[in-house]
Amino acid sequence: MKRVLSLILATGLAIGVIIAIVLGRGASDTVTVRGVIGSEKLPFFADPAVRDAFARHGLRVEVDPAGSRQIATTVNLDNYAFAFPGGAPAAEQILRRHGRTAKYAPFSTPMAIASFQPIVDVLAGAGVARRGAGGIWIFDVRRYLELVEKGTRWDQIRGNTAYPVRKNVLVSTTDVRDSNSAAMYLSLVSHVANGDAIVQGAEAERRVLPLLSRLFLDQGYSENSSEGPFEDYLAVGMGKTPLVCIYEAQFVGRAVTGQIRPGMVLMYPSPTVVSKHTLVPLNSGGDRVGRLLTSDPALQQAAARHGLRTADAARFAKVVAENRVPVTADLVDVVDTPSYGTLENLVRGIEQGYGPP
């Protein structure tokens, strides 16, 4: 009996050792990969489903948020495995600066305007807002710029009893000196200000710069993260932020989590631009992250839940249908961004208006 008991104990001990070895090996095989990302993607990377998906491939992905222009120009990338700004122009600059060629664009999102129904009704009366196909609200950039050129205040819009405040009609943005969302907004308004053409060359830059500067300088203080003004929109309401330039994904993602309240409205600028979230791998670990974001079904599904459009349009369509988010399925009125060099010239021109820090 003692011998049988000894054999059982020995067998149990051996099994325990094997389990410990296997578990220990699994823990030691997990590789930590660190990247710097546009702040708008922070909720995605913090999602437990995203962490679990990476873990199944032996990766622990840690990220630091920063403005996309900062990532492209001032952030020291030496200690990162990948850089993941919010737009293609910033990614192209990173590729040039670091002599890289590989890149991944796992998802994209168009720029949009978040507002409130009373504000939209006022803008409709002024010819700035109108209903498009499927009842989607369209924000007419040309009519908006006409109001800005005249220095129109909200209380000067005829028939405005919903928001008769003594401040200029302006879309709130992030700081154009730091943030990709502001650079995307700059891209679309510059296209309209330049006679519906991409800004190219010094003469065109000089011609549009005075109006573009007003769009940003007249806002006063702006945050360098796209989450900042959108959080104000969600928490404070239209008193502080009647119009805010956002990524469509931000609105859809918050609708999925039940944070979009009745009366909050998503509008699409006409024209708009699409922000292609482009990952630049800086080593083999970063390359693995880029490949997985592009190809792993669980990560692609998580991206759709966060409001991001992937190569499989059906995923995004299913998410917005299930959560009854009024979005435009087919993006038609889309323009290209200027070159990175042109955007930099415009940003530097606007920057001069801010004065010394």
Side-chain angles (χ1 to χ4, degrees):
M1 182 67 181
K2 289 183 178 179
R3 185 177 179 183
V4 172
L5 183 59
S6 298
L7 287 172
I8 292 173
L9 290 173
T11 302
L13 180 61
I15 293 172
V17 170
I18 291 170
I19 291 173
I21 290 172
V22 170
L23 290 176
R25 183 180 299 159
S28 64
D29 284 349
T30 299
V31 176
T32 298
V33 180
R34 193 166 195 84
V36 58
I37 64 169
S39 60
E40 72 286 339
K41 290 183 286 292
L42 203 54
F44 172 79
F45 279 95
D47 188 336
V50 171
R51 292 180 178 273
D52 289 345
F54 279 124
R56 286 193 291 272
H57 294 277
L59 294 180
R60 175 185 174 88
V61 179
E62 298 179 350
V63 294
D64 294 326
S68 291
R69 185 168 181 255
Q70 291 174 311
I71 297 173
T73 57
T74 61
V75 172
N76 183 350
L77 300 180
D78 291 345
N79 295 321
Y80 291 110
F82 64 90
F84 201 0
E92 292 299 327
Q93 175 65 3
I94 294 168
L95 288 168
R96 284 193 291 269
R97 280 182 60 205
H98 294 270
R100 303 282 173 171
T101 56
K103 61 181 179 180
Y104 297 91
F107 31 73
S108 64
T109 184
M111 302 311 298
I113 306 291
S115 188
F116 301 87
Q117 194 60 58
I119 298 295
V120 174
D121 292 340
V122 169
L123 293 177
V128 177
R130 67 178 188 275
R131 290 278 192 182
I136 301 299
W137 281 103
I138 305 298
F139 182 87
D140 190 316
V141 176
R142 178 169 299 284
R143 295 299 299 270
Y144 164 66
L145 292 183
E146 289 172 358
L147 294 183
V148 174
E149 282 189 294
K150 296 174 184 176
T152 305
R153 298 194 313 262
W154 285 101
D155 64 344
Q156 293 174 327
I157 297 177
R158 183 176 300 176
N160 175 15
T161 59
Y163 191 68
V165 299
R166 295 177 59 83
K167 63 181 182 181
N168 287 357
V169 178
L170 281 174
V171 173
S172 297
T173 71
T174 47
D175 193 325
V176 73
R177 295 168 292 181
D178 299 319
S179 171
N180 178 74
S181 62
M184 294 296 100
Y185 174 70
L186 175 61
S187 297
L188 68 91
V189 293
S190 69
H191 190 279
V192 176
N194 194 43
D196 295 321
I198 296 173
V199 176
Q200 298 181 73
E203 182 180 346
E205 292 168 6
R206 285 193 298 269
R207 186 169 59 250
V208 300
L209 194 56
L211 175 57
L212 300 182
S213 295
R214 291 181 62 180
L215 296 174
F216 293 96
L217 299 177
D218 288 359
Q219 293 182 51
Y221 172 76
S222 298
E223 299 193 45
N224 63 8
S225 161
S226 57
E227 284 297 293
F230 189 54
E231 287 297 333
D232 285 343
Y233 167 81
L234 293 173
V236 182
M238 74 180 191
K240 183 178 188 299
T241 317
L243 296 167
V244 58
C245 181
I246 64 168
Y247 298 105
E248 174 197 63
Q250 291 177 288
F251 196 96
V252 175
R254 296 306 180 92
V256 170
T257 57
Q259 294 174 271
I260 299 300
R261 301 185 300 277
M264 291 181 167
V265 178
L266 182 69
M267 294 193 288
Y268 288 88
S270 175
T272 190
V273 294
V274 174
S275 185
K276 293 176 65 176
H277 294 264
T278 306
L279 184 147
V280 177
L282 302 172
N283 61 28
S284 59
D287 192 73
R288 287 184 67 191
V289 172
R291 282 189 284 109
L292 288 171
L293 285 171
T294 306
S295 61
D296 183 81
L299 290 171
Q300 289 273 291
Q301 183 59 39
R305 286 199 311 275
H306 283 269
L308 295 158
R309 298 183 183 229
T310 66
D312 184 356
R315 284 195 176 101
F316 178 79
K318 186 172 185 290
V319 167
V320 296
E322 289 176 347
N323 293 277
R324 299 181 180 180
V325 190
V327 302
T328 182
D330 300 313
L331 296 168
V332 177
D333 194 3
V334 177
V335 296
D336 291 327
T337 63
S339 68
Y340 179 82
T342 296
L343 278 175
E344 275 296 295
N345 290 340
L346 292 175
V347 170
R348 291 193 192 103
I350 296 168
E351 191 172 25
Q352 292 178 6
Y354 283 99

